[in-house]
Amino acid sequence: MLARLVVASRTTLSVAVPAVVLSAVVGSAIGMWAGYHRGWRETLAMRVADVIMSFPSLLLAVVVLYVFSPSAANIVLVLAITRIPVYLRTARAESAELQSRLFVDAARTFGASAHAIIWRHVLPIVLPTLLTVATLDFCYVMLAESSLSFLGIGIQPPDVSWGLMVSQGRTYLHTAWWLSFFPGLAIVITTVSATILAAWARIATDPGQRWRLTVPQKRLSRFTKTAKALS
C-alpha cells in the first residue's frame, strides 16, 4: 500500500506540476503583454480568455479525454489550456495598473523597450500574486486529475494515481476500507499543505510583508494588538 502511494504521488505530481507551470508561464506572459500594451491586444486576449472560461474546465477535460486517448500528456495539455485564463486575467489586471506608474514612465522615457520594462519592472511586482495563484491552482489541478482518474478517463492502468487508487478501492469499502482511505487522505494533506504554502509564498515574495517572517511570534502578536488598538 505504501509503495503504491509513493508511485501514485509521482504520477499525480508529474501531471499537476507541468500543467500549472505551463498554464502559468503562457497565461502570465500573454496577460502582461496585453495589459502593458492595452488597445486591441488587450481586447483580443480577454475575448480568448472569455471563450475558454465559458466552458466548464472539468467538463471540457472530460469531453476531450473521452474523444482522444486518456494519457498523462493529454491530461496535462487539457488542464493547462483550461487554466490559462486564470493567470492571463490576473497578470493583465496587474500590468494595466502598473503601466501608468511613474517608474514605468521613467523607464520608457529613458528608451527602455517594452520587453525590458515588462521583464525588469512589471514582472517582479506581479510575481508574488502569480505565485500565490499558482500554488492555489495546483490544488485545483491535482483534484481535477484525481477526479478524471476516478471517473476512468484519466490515468490508466498499469499506471497508478491517487484518484485511480480511490476508484479501484471503492469496490472493497466494506472489507478493505483502507484501499480508498489512504489515497484520499494523501490528496487532502497535499491540498491543505499547498494552501498553507500559498500563504507563506505571498508573504515571502511581497517586500511589504516579508518582515513578518523574521519577527518572533510574540513580537508579531504584540504588533498586531497595537495596530488594532490604534485603528
Side-chain angles (χ1 to χ4, degrees), residues 76-213:
V76 170
L77 185 60
V78 171
L79 293 179
I81 292 176
T82 57
R83 304 308 296 171
I84 284 177
V86 176
Y87 303 95
L88 192 155
R89 294 167 68 93
T90 302
R92 197 278 311 172
E94 295 277 350
S95 302
E97 193 271 335
L98 292 173
Q99 64 94 21
S100 60
R101 294 284 187 90
L102 292 178
F103 64 90
V104 176
D105 291 337
R108 194 183 299 113
T109 302
F110 280 104
S113 62
H115 174 76
I117 293 175
I118 293 174
W119 179 259
R120 296 179 182 178
H121 301 287
V122 176
L123 179 60
I125 300 177
V126 179
L127 188 60
T129 303
L130 294 177
L131 287 178
T132 304
V133 173
T135 309
L136 294 175
D137 196 47
F138 169 80
C139 302
Y140 176 86
V141 173
M142 190 184 67
L143 292 174
E145 183 277 325
S146 300
S147 301
L148 294 172
S149 299
F150 181 82
L151 295 175
I153 55 178
I155 301 299
Q156 301 295 315
D159 294 331
V160 62
S161 69
W162 287 337
L164 184 60
M165 291 181 66
V166 174
S167 177
Q168 292 174 343
R170 62 178 176 174
T171 310
Y172 309 98
L173 288 178
H174 295 288
T175 57
W177 53 268
W178 55 86
L179 295 178
S180 293
F181 174 78
F182 287 107
L185 181 63
I187 295 174
V188 172
I189 292 176
T190 306
T191 53
V192 172
S193 301
T195 305
I196 298 174
L197 179 63
W200 176 87
R202 175 62 181 175
I203 297 175
T205 55
D206 189 353
Q209 301 290 331
R210 196 176 299 161
W211 62 272
R212 295 177 179 272
L213 299 178

Side-chain angles (χ1 to χ4, degrees), residues 9-95:
S9 66
R10 182 182 62 183
T11 304
T12 301
L13 295 179
S14 65
V15 171
V17 173
V20 171
V21 172
L22 181 60
S23 59
V25 171
V26 175
S28 301
I30 298 176
M32 288 186 291
W33 171 76
Y36 177 81
H37 291 285
R38 306 299 293 268
W40 65 269
R41 300 175 180 87
E42 182 182 23
T43 302
L44 178 62
M46 294 305 297
R47 295 297 78 78
V48 173
D50 292 340
V51 170
I52 297 176
M53 294 188 68
S54 62
F55 298 96
S57 57
L58 189 58
L59 180 59
L60 181 62
V62 169
V63 174
V64 172
L65 293 175
Y66 182 80
V67 174
F68 300 96
S69 59
S71 62
N74 290 337
I75 296 174
V76 170
L77 185 60
V78 171
L79 293 179
I81 292 176
T82 57
R83 304 308 296 171
I84 284 177
V86 176
Y87 303 95
L88 192 155
R89 294 167 68 93
T90 302
R92 197 278 311 172
E94 295 277 350
S95 302

